[in-house]
Amino acid sequence: MSVAPSRQEQKERTREAILNAALDLSRDHGFAQISLRQVARQAGVVPTAFYRHFDSMDELGLALVERSFLTLRTMIREAQGDPDVLDNIIEASAEVLVRVVKQNRMHFAFVARERASGSAAVREAIQRELELFISELAVVLARLPHLDRWSSDDVKMASGLFVRNMVYRAEQVVQMPEGRPDREEEITRKAQREMRLIVLGFEKWES
Amino acid sequence: MSVAPSRQEQKERTREAILNAALDLSRDHGFAQISLRQVARQAGVVPTAFYRHFDSMDELGLALVERSFLTLRTMIREAQGDPDVLDNIIEASAEVLVRVVKQNRMHFAFVARERASGSAAVREAIQRELELFISELAVVLARLPHLDRWSSDDVKMASGLFVRNMVYRAEQVVQMPEGRPDREEEITRKAQREMRLIVLGFEKWES
DNA sequence: ACTTTCAGTGTACGCATGTTCACTGATGGA
DNA sequence: TCCATCAGTGAACATGCGTACACTGAAAGT
């Protein structure tokens, strides 16, 4: 027999249902074009109940941004903990990328989609988080051979190149039909080739 | 005294007004979230007249994709004609990029925004056009030193890196507030640094 | 045991939407 | 000159929207 949930627990549960409903509906139509009523319906709740959790759709969007970047940070932390990554940044990080993206498809899809097109508030939040993420990755990169002597501007440039590559490949993984390990391998391979090319540039870089 | 326009001319004029209205409204809200009635209103025409030119908003979107990529092709042709580009691909092409994007702000904004988020039809059309564009640029790149001996796959990778970099920088130019030559210069500089890094990689690339 | 709090309900409203239909009147071919 | 064509009109419709408001009833505080 399950115990009756406390009021707080129940509220949290509904909030979660709303977030998931929005994420789910965004998949097909984009967050900006789904309505408050659609979200409420999918969450199994009456439209007005929505307001007990969020003031507006915009606020819901910001909450989704926050939640999505939480999983992005998990990735960078995982990459940092992995001893392979420092030895072999390219192969290891490309694999971490594809794996984490596959596990969190919806979150990455949301970020990739709304980055350029969401409401102004959502778009700005994503840009800010992405900048933050680039800075965090730069700290990791700064410990690599060749890069440890660079100016911080240069390291950030490298980090930016990697992250943009990552976002692009994540878009592809997200759009990839399920159960196509061949496509997945191809994406991993292409990402690796590109990162290898960039790293080759690092070795000759000056100023 | 101006001559009365022919029926065809007048129709073409209205069609153009609808396209421009849609492009203009997309700027703030994204194409996917503007309504047929808004477009008609902005074009100075009654909603039902819209149907004389397009069957649906989706078809309007596809027409905008086509028109936008027409200006993109202008850019590549201009770059091909410019003798500086072959000698000094990086500086010259970065400048061509920023200039052309500034001249065609709205078209680039449209492509960048709807690439990841438009309706399925619009999204797919843009992806297809972008692939085509990468292939065309690859033909130009194949004539560069170091690259002339590469496999066509490798040249396409290089082309893809440049184009993605271009799309990203175009997004920034578009979002840039008007009359900020300092920001513009910074973007040009960053784009150049990144392209230079990639080209450095080219010189050491094998297989 | 009582009262308060508050997550979720149900109704009602005014508004913008996409699409239909019958129409008008200038253009342009006969 | 007459008449067909057809780009653009204007009214009407059903529908879905965001939000206001008064409400209910169980959980939590006393």
Side-chain angles (χ1 to χ4, degrees):
Chain A
M1 291 264 303
S2 62
V3 195
S6 80
R7 218 154 40 180
Q8 264 189 35
E9 279 169 351
Q10 183 51 47
K11 181 170 187 183
E12 188 51 43
R13 232 177 268 183
T14 304
R15 191 189 136 96
E16 210 59 29
I18 291 176
L19 284 165
N20 287 330
L23 205 54
D24 199 38
L25 290 169
S26 299
R27 188 190 182 83
D28 295 330
H29 311 289
F31 178 78
Q33 15 198 351
I34 63 179
S35 69
L36 187 154
R37 286 176 110 104
Q38 277 171 25
V39 173
R41 207 178 306 134
Q42 173 104 356
V45 116
V46 103
T48 39
F50 177 95
Y51 293 107
R52 299 281 176 207
H53 302 273
F54 304 98
D55 276 354
S56 63
M57 285 294 283
D58 253 15
E59 222 181 70
L60 209 204
L62 294 182
L64 280 174
V65 173
E66 203 177 325
R67 219 173 71 152
S68 295
F69 271 92
L70 239 144
T71 75
L72 257 165
R73 283 183 214 301
T74 313
M75 183 172 76
I76 208 174
R77 228 174 297 124
E78 184 175 339
Q80 262 176 315
D82 189 338
D84 288 355
V85 166
L86 264 186
D87 296 345
N88 194 347
I89 182 95
I90 297 166
E91 279 74 10
S93 62
E95 273 156 25
V96 170
L97 171 65
V98 172
R99 182 160 41 77
V100 175
V101 171
K102 272 204 314 179
Q103 280 168 2
N104 305 282
R105 235 170 218 273
M106 306 265 262
H107 285 151
F108 280 88
F110 180 81
V111 170
R113 209 184 326 101
E114 309 301 327
R115 183 183 67 87
S117 68
S119 73
V122 169
R123 215 167 49 225
E124 279 159 25
I126 290 181
Q127 304 284 14
R128 204 168 40 243
E129 291 279 1
L130 227 38
E131 282 298 318
L132 220 73
F133 185 74
I134 289 173
S135 296
E136 283 179 36
L137 181 62
V139 173
V140 178
L141 288 180
R143 292 156 53 202
L144 287 178
H146 297 289
L147 279 85
D148 48 8
R149 300 213 169 135
W150 287 17
S151 76
S152 67
D153 258 16
D154 285 349
V155 177
K156 271 198 86 171
M157 171 185 71
S159 178
L161 278 170
F162 277 122
V163 169
R164 290 213 303 277
N165 205 0
M166 190 193 80
V167 170
Y168 176 74
R169 292 302 170 189
E171 281 176 35
Q172 294 196 312
V173 173
V174 163
Q175 283 170 19
M176 188 176 71
E178 307 253 9
R180 285 289 302 276
D182 52 326
R183 284 287 295 128
E184 177 185 325
E185 236 177 82
E186 190 194 334
I187 292 173
T188 310
R189 217 190 56 244
K190 281 189 174 172
Q192 285 174 353
R193 284 211 310 163
E194 286 170 2
M195 290 169 92
R196 213 178 304 135
L197 179 69
I198 293 170
V199 169
L200 276 181
F202 287 165
E203 294 176 13
K204 295 191 74 178
W205 184 258
E206 304 218 345
S207 149
Chain B
M1 291 262 305
S2 61
V3 195
S6 80
R7 236 203 323 217
Q8 265 190 35
E9 278 170 352
Q10 183 49 48
K11 180 169 187 184
E12 187 53 41
R13 231 178 268 186
T14 304
R15 190 189 136 97
E16 209 58 29
I18 292 176
L19 283 166
N20 287 331
L23 204 54
D24 198 39
L25 290 169
S26 299
R27 188 190 181 83
D28 295 330
H29 311 290
F31 178 77
Q33 10 198 355
I34 64 178
S35 67
L36 186 152
R37 284 176 110 104
Q38 278 171 25
V39 173
R41 206 177 306 134
Q42 173 103 359
V45 116
V46 106
T48 40
F50 177 96
Y51 292 107
R52 299 279 178 211
H53 302 273
F54 305 98
D55 276 354
S56 62
M57 285 295 282
D58 252 16
E59 221 181 70
L60 209 205
L62 294 182
L64 279 174
V65 172
E66 203 177 325
R67 219 173 70 150
S68 294
F69 272 91
L70 238 142
T71 75
L72 257 165
R73 281 181 217 301
T74 311
M75 182 172 75
I76 208 174
R77 226 173 299 125
E78 182 174 341
Q80 260 175 316
D82 188 339
D84 288 356
V85 166
L86 266 186
D87 296 344
N88 195 347
I89 182 97
I90 298 167
E91 278 74 10
S93 62
E95 272 156 26
V96 170
L97 172 64
V98 172
R99 181 161 41 77
V100 175
V101 170
K102 272 204 316 179
Q103 279 168 3
N104 305 281
R105 236 169 218 272
M106 307 265 262
H107 286 151
F108 280 88
F110 181 80
V111 169
R113 208 183 328 97
E114 310 301 327
R115 183 183 68 86
S117 69
S119 74
V122 170
R123 217 169 46 227
E124 280 158 26
I126 290 182
Q127 302 285 13
R128 205 168 40 243
E129 292 278 2
L130 226 37
E131 284 297 318
L132 220 73
F133 184 74
I134 289 174
S135 297
E136 283 179 37
L137 181 63
V139 173
V140 178
L141 288 180
R143 293 156 51 202
L144 287 178
H146 297 291
L147 278 85
D148 48 9
R149 300 211 167 138
W150 287 16
S151 76
S152 67
D153 258 17
D154 284 349
V155 177
K156 269 198 86 171
M157 172 184 71
S159 177
L161 278 169
F162 276 123
V163 170
R164 289 214 301 279
N165 203 1
M166 189 193 80
V167 170
Y168 177 74
R169 292 302 170 191
E171 280 176 37
Q172 293 196 313
V173 173
V174 163
Q175 282 170 18
M176 189 176 73
E178 307 252 10
R180 284 289 301 277
D182 51 327
R183 287 284 297 130
E184 176 185 326
E185 236 177 83
E186 190 193 335
I187 292 172
T188 311
R189 218 189 55 244
K190 281 189 176 173
Q192 286 175 350
R193 286 209 312 161
E194 285 170 2
M195 290 169 94
R196 213 177 304 134
L197 178 69
I198 293 170
V199 169
L200 278 180
F202 287 165
E203 294 175 15
K204 293 192 74 178
W205 184 258
E206 305 215 346
S207 150

